[in-house]
Each structure stands twice: as C-alpha cells, then as structure tokens.
Amino acid sequence: MHLEYQVYEADFVNAGAASSAIKKTLKQLNVNPQIVKRVVVALYEAEVNAIAHAYGGMIYADIEPDKITVKVVDKGPGIPDIAWAMQEGNSTASPEVRNMGFGAGMGLPNIQKNVDKLNVTSTVGVGTTVEMEVNFA
Amino acid sequence: MKLREISELLNAKVLCGHDRLEEEHESAFASDLMSDVLTLGDYNPVILTGLCNMQTIRTCEMGNLDIIVLVRKKKATEEMIEEAEDEGMVVMECDYSMFKACGLLFQAGMKPIF
C-alpha cells in the first residue's frame, strides 16, 4: 500500500495530520499497537521537522506485510552538519516552534530510537530526505 | 487513583471524557516539552502540561496518551476539545501551578514512571 501526503512550511495547525492518517491505517491493518506507536512517534517528529525547519515537503509511506518504509522529502534549506543535528539537545528551532512544545533538539534522536533503519541525507540549498523503516515483527 | 479523584484533588474542570472518570490510573508525567512526552514508550501516564495548543492534543494522540491535565490556568480551545473528544481523551483544566499539581498527586500516591 502506497500513501502520499503533502506538508507545508509553518503549517502548525495541520502538523500531525499525515502521521494521524498513517496511524489509523496501521491500526486498521491490525499492526501490533506497540509497533504502531514507534512508527507514529518517529513519523510525527519527522513531519514536525518538515513543517518547522523546512519549506514543506512530501511524505511517502509504503506499507508491506512485514514492514513500513517512510520517506520524508523536504524542500530545503538542508542540514549543513547532520552529525550535529543528530545529537540530542542541538536545535536551530525558531521561538514559534518552541512555543509549540518542540525545538529542544530531540526530534532526530527520538526518530532514531523508534525505527529499525534510519537514513538522513541532506544537500544545503536543496533539501533533506529522512528515510525510515520499521519491521512489524 | 480514579480520574474523578484526580479532578477533585486538583480542583480541575473536566472538559471531555466524563464517562471515563471511574478509571483508575497510578502514574503521571509532567512536561511542557512535547518531544519529552513522545519518549514514554509503552506507558500511558496522566500527562500534566502547561503547553496548551493543538500540538498538545496531537502529540498525545501520537503517543497513545489519553489523559491530559492542563495546568497554570491554561484554557483549551474549542478546536482542542473537539479533537480530544474525537480521540476519546480525558482533558481537564487546573488553575494550580505545575509544581503544586504534581505535589498534590505525588502526596496522594500517584507514581512517577521513572
């Protein structure tokens, strides 16, 4: 099953809509609730990142019998130092993002803790792609 | 502790989830940082927070956390209450500070999750 969602820059009102839709789909497919929670927490952090830090982007989810693969492709500005961004506590979040309860530098580390595979690639001026995979068993 | 007892102890106004007030819950977690709320793994503690916007409800939805106490006189919007009702959540508003609300619950036997 292939699902696609568009997310828009600074659209905090709808932040989480894609994650919520994917959560409902996984529940309908009777995926183990603990696995669903891991997928959704990771995806929600990535979705908020694309809205808070990037100029929006796309979320592509592929659900197979044994795993889900999600790719969040944003439109930039890109991450100059991914290793720095992966460290807990490092953040470039705006005051607006912090007012929403995010921006403490826990997003990418939180994603890493919840997925089985994570690949973050970024080109400054082009964008960032976060690919994650969670096995169902 | 029953959710009804929590609402009484905190002098809190229950906004939605009135049908769940006889449920027993024994642990709580307090944070204004939603990324912290998303690190709780399989637990479903009562969440105390002073963060009061749609992201509070969404974050709890993503984390399977369905009991929210808004502290420091924060008032939920209609939109927040509607979303919480759709998700079957219990949401309360409490005028006390985070410190006082946590202190009262701890004193009454509510447990931390770590």
Side-chain angles (χ1 to χ4, degrees):
Chain A
M1 184 187 290
H2 180 77
L3 304 165
E4 291 188 11
Y5 304 90
Q6 191 158 6
V7 293
Y8 301 93
E9 180 186 5
D11 182 18
F12 294 109
V13 175
N14 292 308
S19 304
S20 182
I22 290 174
K23 180 184 180 182
K24 287 186 174 82
T25 303
L26 291 175
K27 278 170 89 173
Q28 281 166 4
L29 292 170
N30 285 322
V31 176
N32 176 326
Q34 290 170 349
I35 305 268
V36 174
K37 180 165 174 172
R38 283 173 49 210
V39 172
V40 171
V41 166
L43 175 57
Y44 182 50
E45 289 278 16
E47 184 179 355
V48 169
N49 275 349
I51 291 165
H53 296 287
Y55 313 129
M58 288 296 296
I59 296 174
Y60 305 98
D62 285 287
I63 303 170
E64 293 168 64
D66 60 338
K67 68 179 180 189
I68 178 168
T69 309
V70 183
K71 199 193 271 194
V72 182
V73 183
D74 76 39
K75 298 178 191 166
I79 306 171
D81 186 345
I82 293 173
W84 183 87
M86 290 298 295
Q87 284 174 39
E88 203 164 304
N90 289 347
S91 179
T92 57
S94 64
E96 191 187 9
V97 174
R98 291 174 199 268
N99 285 342
M100 301 303 287
F102 291 94
M106 290 177 67
L108 285 170
N110 224 358
I111 292 171
Q112 189 147 48
K113 280 177 204 155
N114 282 287
V115 299
D116 294 308
K117 270 190 206 165
L118 174 65
N119 188 27
V120 183
T121 52
S122 191
T123 306
V124 173
V126 179
T128 300
T129 297
V130 176
E131 283 179 272
M132 51 184 122
E133 197 174 287
V134 176
N135 300 322
F136 292 157
Chain B
M1 187 182 292
K2 285 187 174 166
L3 297 180
R4 179 182 306 285
E5 293 172 294
I6 292 175
S7 72
E8 287 166 4
L9 193 62
L10 299 181
N11 198 19
K13 181 182 173 192
V14 179
L15 304 176
C16 61
H18 294 85
D19 56 325
R20 294 183 53 195
L21 295 181
E22 297 308 310
E23 274 179 27
E24 293 270 356
H25 284 264
E26 63 171 22
S27 63
F29 183 82
S31 180
D32 287 349
L33 182 63
M34 292 299 103
S35 282
D36 265 342
V37 170
L38 288 172
T39 61
L40 300 179
D42 297 333
Y43 294 100
N44 179 17
V46 173
I47 299 294
L48 291 99
T49 183
L51 185 83
C52 184
N53 56 43
M54 273 307 282
Q55 249 36 58
T56 313
I57 308 295
R58 290 256 169 77
T59 301
C60 287
E61 180 197 342
M62 301 309 156
N64 290 344
L65 304 158
D66 58 5
I67 303 144
I68 305 170
V69 179
L70 300 168
V71 298
R72 297 198 296 269
K73 302 182 184 177
K74 304 291 180 189
K75 303 295 177 207
T77 62
E78 280 302 316
E79 195 188 11
M80 286 169 65
I81 299 168
E82 271 175 38
E83 178 98 1
E85 273 174 345
D86 286 349
E87 293 298 323
M89 293 176 173
V90 180
V91 181
M92 305 181 196
E93 288 171 346
C94 162
D95 284 355
Y96 299 156
S97 67
M98 179 84 98
F99 181 73
K100 182 171 178 177
C102 291
L104 286 168
L105 292 180
F106 191 86
Q107 200 171 35
M110 287 291 277
K111 295 184 175 70
I113 54 171
F114 63 84

